Amino acid sequence: MAPRAVILDCDPGQDDAVAILLALASPEEIELLAITTVAGNVPLALTQRNARQVVELTRRRDVPVFAGCARPILEPLVTATEVHGETGLDGVSLPEPTLPLAAEHAVDAIVRLVMERPPGTVTLCPTGPLTNVALALVKEPAIGPRLAEIVLMGGAKALGNVTPAAEFNFWVDPHAARVVFESGVPITMIGLDLTHQVLVTAPRLERIRAIGTPVTRAVHDFLQFFNRHDTARYAIPGAPLHDPCVIAHLLRPGLFAGKRCRVDIETEGRFCRGRSVVDWWGRCDRPANALVLSEADADGFFDLLIERLARL
């Protein structure tokens, strides 16, 4: 079977970096057409730099990196440097990238790459705020019916992580999230309910370190930094490794379970801006628009991740 064509839209971020590495380590299953970057965990100047650094860490200079939107559609940008550090990849010192940033804007690159490929063959994988994705869908509505699906990290069935109601990616750009969920494109949503089952515990981090390659030493160091915030905040034995779950779902969908639901995005609420309202029990009469994943085999996920990181 031919590998799945994927565009990874991200805001690296340590967990986005691991998602990039997992995709690059899986060429039999994933043809990574491009990495597109957006402002989110840190500003755009850093997310595009970080993405290029991670690509160069694997010596894969064939994957282009595009810079996209520097701010949300309507809201001012809010970052998460308290989690990821001032660079977004704190915890490791990587060389300045020599891979040039692709000249095309990420929104235009998404449109072009989807339109160039046969209908139903490109999967869009956003792991940051959905600004680039929403604007691509608005700029060229023809890409929606051509996408195989959108598999994204964002939202929550239950509690948020930036407010009591909202997850960070959706809270940063709720209007973009609303555009995406109202687009009619098949969506798989991987939210906090799932990712908080996939924790970077000390034994799992040690398994990564023990591989002993330059890539895994870097991953160990930046995940060790990443762990410090959420372990203290939530009193848990490791930080949730959110974004790689998107790529892991493409590779091993059997590691995850959920059901189709209606998801609507609150854009205006005083207390609930960015809330993903998931009709888990089918209480409204609106049709389902997303597969909402809520369960993960965490041990199976880390077995897959560690096996793939060892290839790099």
Side-chain angles (χ1 to χ4, degrees):
M1 181 180 296
R4 181 193 299 242
V6 168
I7 301 169
L8 178 54
D9 186 75
C10 56
D11 62 337
Q14 290 90 350
D15 53 336
D16 303 81
V18 177
I20 292 170
L21 293 171
L22 184 55
L24 291 172
S26 306
E28 297 87 359
E29 297 104 325
I30 291 176
E31 179 189 4
L32 191 55
L33 301 179
I35 296 167
T36 55
T37 59
V38 68
N41 288 323
V42 287
L44 181 68
L46 292 172
T47 61
Q48 57 88 359
R49 171 182 174 268
N50 294 347
R52 290 185 292 140
Q53 286 180 310
V54 173
V55 171
E56 286 203 337
L57 185 62
T58 68
R59 302 176 299 279
R60 284 286 303 277
R61 297 177 63 86
D62 57 302
V63 178
V65 176
F66 299 86
C69 296
R71 52 156 291 173
I73 294 172
L74 293 179
E75 306 291 345
L77 175 65
V78 178
T79 62
T81 54
E82 73 281 3
V83 178
H84 300 277
E86 291 300 319
T87 70
L89 282 182
D90 279 22
V92 68
S93 180
L94 296 176
E96 284 297 316
T98 61
L99 177 70
L101 183 67
E104 195 175 12
H105 192 282
V107 170
D108 297 321
I110 291 169
V111 170
R112 175 178 56 80
L113 289 165
V114 173
M115 296 302 290
E116 285 177 352
R117 293 285 177 130
T121 61
V122 176
T123 297
L124 193 49
C125 293
T127 60
L130 290 165
T131 317
N132 288 341
V133 177
L135 291 180
L137 289 164
V138 170
K139 182 172 185 177
E140 180 47 84
I143 70 169
R146 296 179 69 90
L147 285 166
E149 61 178 324
I150 295 173
V151 181
L152 62 86
M153 189 279 133
K157 266 195 326 136
L159 300 177
N161 63 351
V162 66
T163 71
E167 177 272 334
F168 176 80
N169 288 340
F170 288 8
W171 184 80
V172 167
D173 199 340
H175 301 90
R178 180 173 176 178
V179 168
V180 171
F181 276 86
E182 293 180 356
S183 68
V185 177
I187 294 171
T188 296
M189 174 179 135
I190 295 173
L192 299 178
D193 316 271
L194 185 150
T195 62
H196 274 251
Q197 300 168 40
V198 180
L199 304 181
V200 187
T201 61
R204 289 165 176 163
L205 195 55
E206 173 57 24
R207 288 177 65 192
I208 293 172
R209 188 201 64 79
I211 297 169
T213 64
V215 170
T216 55
R217 285 195 292 269
V219 172
H220 169 272
D221 291 351
F222 68 59
L223 286 183
Q224 191 169 53
F225 177 91
F226 181 64
N227 260 2
R228 92 216 179 285
H229 180 271
D230 283 357
T231 53
R233 183 185 189 190
Y234 299 112
I236 52 179
L241 197 54
H242 309 283
D243 297 338
C245 292
V246 168
I247 304 301
H249 173 67
L250 301 185
L251 299 172
R252 297 288 185 272
L255 294 174
F256 306 97
K259 66 180 180 181
R260 289 191 53 75
C261 301
R262 180 72 194 188
V263 179
D264 290 293
I265 310 299
E266 174 59 60
T267 57
E268 306 301 334
R270 177 183 174 190
F271 297 108
C272 294
R273 190 195 99 190
R275 172 70 180 171
S276 48
V277 182
V278 179
D279 186 15
W280 189 252
W281 299 116
R283 300 300 301 271
C284 72
D285 59 359
R286 294 163 66 78
N289 60 351
L291 171 62
V292 178
L293 299 182
S294 61
E295 299 176 29
D297 175 353
D299 288 336
F301 167 87
F302 276 97
D303 287 345
L304 171 66
L305 176 63
I306 289 163
E307 183 265 318
R308 294 304 167 94
L309 289 177
R311 299 178 174 187
L312 296 172

